[in-house]
């Protein structure tokens, strides 16, 4: 008798659910930390997205990210609020850029490069939504350079932490033998 043909899919789905739950937990903890500058957070939940991208592939990273955005907004009470839409816009912009960079990872673009690019795309996506719909003020672009600088710093930090997690021997077997389902 052969094994269950869905066993690999079930394992993959459980991994995605576990990673999404971890990302939601990190995002909720991060939301509880006061920020000295409104709207700027370290984005530590993005570590989970990057690990998912590099270990399980782009589709899994999309699933984890979208579950994180919706799940955390449900738990924080921000679903369909401007904060939710800003979070979603940033997440989608990051995913688009990560999709473009995925063929180059990890050989040519490592976790730090991916994290910085994703953070820059995230803040740009949020900014464009805010400027187009939420705060269409002509002077709003003046805040973009400091926001991009913050994204560079937080993205670098996220990338360094991602590289350390990926270097952990407990997950090295997954990194060297990623699942082919991308």
């Amino acid at each position: 008798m052969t094994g269950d043909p869905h066993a690999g899919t079930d394992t993959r789905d459980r991994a995605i659910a576990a990673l999404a739950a971890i990302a939601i937990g990190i995002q909720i903890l991060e939301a509880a930390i006061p920020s000295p500058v409104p709207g700027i957070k370290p984005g530590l939940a993005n570590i989970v997205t990057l690990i998912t991208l590099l270990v399980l592939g782009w589709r899994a990273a999309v699933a984890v990210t979208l579950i994180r955005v919706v799940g955390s907004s449900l738990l924080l009470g921000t679903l369909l609020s401007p904060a939710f839409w800003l979070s979603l816009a940033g997440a989608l912009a990051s995913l688009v850029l990560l999709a473009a960079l995925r063929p180059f990872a990890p050989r040519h673009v490592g976790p730090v490069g991916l994290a910085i690019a994703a953070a820059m795309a995230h803040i740009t996506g949020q900014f464009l939504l805010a400027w187009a719909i939420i705060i269409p003020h002509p002077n709003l672009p003046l805040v973009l350079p400091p926001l991009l600088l913050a994204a560079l710093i937080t993205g670098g930090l996220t990338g360094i932490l991602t590289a350390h997690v990926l270097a952990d021997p407990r997950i090295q077997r997954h990194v060297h033998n990623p699942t082919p389902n991308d």
Side-chain angles (χ1 to χ4, degrees):
M1 188 164 160
T2 61
D4 180 5
H6 300 290
T9 303
D10 290 345
T11 301
R12 184 177 174 81
D13 289 347
R14 280 194 295 273
I16 290 169
L19 290 163
I22 291 167
I24 289 169
I26 292 170
Q27 187 160 340
I28 289 172
L29 287 173
E30 200 172 75
I33 300 169
S35 174
V37 179
I40 296 180
K41 295 282 186 177
L44 298 176
N46 295 323
I47 294 168
V48 179
T49 299
L50 291 170
I51 291 168
T52 304
L53 173 75
L54 294 170
V55 175
L56 297 177
W58 189 76
R59 289 182 187 156
V62 169
V64 166
T65 300
L66 294 179
I67 293 168
R68 173 184 57 86
V69 169
V70 173
S72 62
S73 69
L74 278 169
L75 293 170
L76 293 168
T78 60
L79 187 64
L80 303 180
S81 73
F84 167 77
W85 294 111
L86 289 168
S87 179
L88 183 61
L92 292 175
S94 292
L95 288 170
V96 167
L97 189 57
L98 288 173
L101 293 175
R102 175 67 174 126
F104 305 105
R107 188 172 190 176
H108 301 291
V109 181
V112 175
L114 289 172
I116 290 172
M120 300 288 250
H122 186 91
I123 200 67
T124 302
Q126 287 185 324
F127 174 82
L128 291 174
L129 176 67
W131 192 28
I133 297 173
I134 300 171
I135 311 168
H137 192 278
N139 288 333
L140 194 62
L142 296 174
V143 301
L144 187 57
L147 290 173
L148 289 171
L149 177 61
L152 176 68
I153 294 166
T154 60
L157 173 66
T158 301
I160 291 167
L161 292 172
T162 300
H164 283 292
V165 171
L166 288 170
D168 189 311
R170 293 171 287 188
I171 68 164
Q172 277 299 307
R173 63 188 169 103
H174 301 293
V175 174
H176 293 302
N177 300 311
T179 58
N181 301 329
D182 195 50

